[in-house]
Amino acid sequence: MTLRARLTMLTAAAVALAIIAAAAVAWLLVRSSMMDEVDEELLARSQQVDRIAAAARVPGGGSQPELQLVEMVQADPVGVQVIDANGSTYQVTFEPLTSALEGAQLPEPGPPGQPQLQTLRLSGESYRVLTHSAADGHSVLRLFQPLNTVEATLDSVAWSLTGTALAGIALAAVLGWMVSRTALRPVERLVSATEEVAATQDLSHRIDVEAGLKDEISRLGASVNQMLAALERARGEQRELVENASHELRTPLAVLRNDLGLLTKSEEDPQRGLSRQDRAELMQDLDAQLVALTEEVSGIITLAKGDQHDEPPQLTELSELISRAVQRSKRVNPLVAVEVHAEPCPAVVHPAALERAVANLVRNALQVSSPSSAVTVRLIQQEQEVAVVVEDRGPGLQEDEIPRLFTRFFRGSAARQRHGSGLGLAIVAQAAALHGGTAEAANRADGGARFTLRWPRR
């Protein structure tokens, strides 16, 4: 069932319940009003109970009690029954009430001066019965008001209300369908746009959203546009990563292929054999290229994962983490001294991602440092944040290149002279974002570069 059909049904059902409730209340009010009118008439007649009872006690002759009762009720369609103190019954009734009263169980009278009103069903007809004791307490008066006119009127009102309710429900269904169609037209446009994106795979497509509207449909359209923009950026980054990775991997793979080809040919042709020194240099070059290729692939995998880390945050001693990162990076340039200034600082971090980022910063600093210089690593603790600062005494950074240093595969002019893929600082920026922080680069006043990785305390 479509959303439009469900909305139409819900609208019609809600209106139907409201109309049915209103019709039922109206019918009950009409019934109550008509019954109150009948009761008022019966109570007005009951005021003559003493006179009617006196007429019933007149001795026989020309003034028979039945005749006087006829005169009192006149032509009103009201049955009258009087029971005197001797148990004699005098009544003026009409068919079918006369036959219905024979053997009927009638209500007992209450105390004098307290009339009782009840609705009785006698021989298939409804009557409103008033039972009243005379003031002397010896005579009982019963008035029988037929309710056939009231019931006929109520039936007519019920049919009228039913017809009105049905017409109202039908009108509500039509209006509900029209309203749902109008209200869901933006949703249909949204569905068409998303289906077009799914069919064409064109993430640059956007949904038209009227400016200034703040309703849910407009917000949904804006959210879908934001989602498409994010997907488009992710696809672009993925394509860029694949293109750059293929370009960067091509060089070490080509070198490996050439070296392995040379080694294979030397084994196949003894006359072209390599000396022990050449073979050692060739094996050393193969090992270096394999290490470079491994680091390249590891960096690409790390960047490809983005924020999707399987490692949960853990309470980690940062001074120990920095020491491990320094130890794994010193082999890049063992002749350069690394000074570490880190007081004990427990913090909740992703330890593997953070250690990899610090190791990349230290490795970069060691690569640009001369054997006689030193690299300084500081752990700075503040109330709201923690920072790791790595400083070197190298040639420094080009000011126009600083904004692009943390971009994937970007290599500054000084870094192009040595081996590298341009992924190290991008991994640092990714680790900073993972911890809700930032990565910064700047030149030192007395020469060299300063890289800062900072993030808020948890």
Side-chain angles (χ1 to χ4, degrees), residues 57-381:
R57 291 194 294 271
V58 173
S63 301
Q64 295 181 4
E66 288 86 348
L67 296 178
Q68 295 195 25
L69 292 176
V70 170
E71 294 176 356
M72 292 178 183
V73 299
Q74 298 178 359
D76 292 340
V78 178
V80 181
Q81 184 184 70
V82 176
I83 304 175
D84 64 9
N86 298 325
S88 300
T89 300
Y90 308 95
Q91 63 186 24
V92 175
T93 57
F94 46 84
E95 292 295 339
L97 179 60
T98 302
S99 58
L101 290 176
E102 296 178 0
Q105 295 292 331
L106 300 176
E108 294 295 329
Q114 295 184 8
Q116 293 179 322
L117 287 166
Q118 291 177 307
T119 300
L120 298 180
R121 193 79 175 172
L122 302 174
S123 296
E125 298 290 337
S126 296
Y127 296 90
R128 191 66 171 169
V129 181
L130 182 144
T131 304
H132 195 167
S133 297
D136 56 10
H138 300 295
S139 301
V140 177
L141 170 66
R142 288 194 180 94
L143 300 179
F144 299 85
Q145 174 69 53
L147 298 178
N148 53 349
T149 303
V150 174
E151 291 179 343
T153 303
L154 291 176
D155 289 343
S156 177
V157 171
W159 282 110
S160 299
L161 292 175
T162 301
T164 303
L166 292 176
I169 294 172
L171 179 60
V174 174
L175 293 178
W177 182 83
M178 296 175 62
V179 170
S180 63
R181 180 182 179 183
T182 303
L184 294 178
R185 189 172 291 117
V187 177
E188 292 177 352
R189 291 199 301 267
L190 183 62
V191 172
S192 300
T194 54
E195 288 177 347
E196 181 180 353
V197 171
T200 62
Q201 299 294 313
D202 181 14
L203 296 178
S204 63
H205 183 77
R206 294 294 181 268
I207 298 171
D208 294 333
V209 180
E210 296 185 21
L213 293 181
K214 300 296 183 181
D215 58 10
E216 290 77 3
I217 303 299
S218 300
R219 290 170 54 193
L220 178 60
S223 299
V224 172
N225 285 338
Q226 293 175 0
M227 180 186 67
L228 291 174
L231 290 175
E232 186 179 14
R233 288 194 302 270
R235 175 181 284 183
E237 292 175 356
Q238 183 185 34
R239 183 182 296 110
E240 180 185 4
L241 178 63
V242 172
E243 293 174 353
N244 292 333
S246 62
H247 174 74
E248 294 295 332
L249 292 176
R250 188 178 295 115
T251 300
L253 286 175
V255 174
L256 283 174
R257 182 178 180 181
N258 292 334
D259 290 347
L260 288 173
L262 181 60
L263 185 61
T264 301
K265 290 179 181 179
S266 67
E267 294 293 334
E268 293 176 350
D269 187 358
Q271 296 182 357
R272 300 177 60 181
L274 298 175
S275 65
R276 180 174 298 180
Q277 182 179 357
D278 290 339
R279 182 183 294 272
E281 291 178 357
L282 183 60
M283 296 301 293
Q284 185 177 2
D285 188 57
L286 283 172
D287 181 69
Q289 294 299 328
L290 285 173
V291 171
L293 184 61
T294 302
E295 292 180 352
E296 190 92 13
V297 172
S298 177
I300 292 173
I301 293 175
T302 300
L303 289 175
K305 286 184 177 180
D307 295 335
Q308 298 178 358
H309 285 267
D310 298 331
E311 179 189 35
Q314 301 177 22
L315 182 62
T316 306
E317 176 53 56
L318 296 184
S319 60
E320 298 177 359
L321 182 147
I322 292 175
S323 297
R324 293 194 301 269
V326 171
Q327 290 299 322
R328 64 186 287 188
S329 303
K330 289 184 69 173
R331 64 182 178 83
V332 173
N333 195 348
L335 299 179
V336 178
V338 180
E339 302 174 359
V340 179
H341 304 278
E343 297 294 332
C345 177
V348 178
V349 296
H350 297 268
L354 185 60
E355 183 177 340
R356 185 184 303 112
V358 175
N360 286 346
L361 291 177
V362 175
R363 184 181 298 110
N364 285 352
L366 290 172
Q367 288 177 343
V368 300
S369 299
S370 62
S372 59
S373 62
V375 172
T376 304
V377 181
R378 290 188 177 88
L379 175 62
I380 301 176
Q381 306 180 44

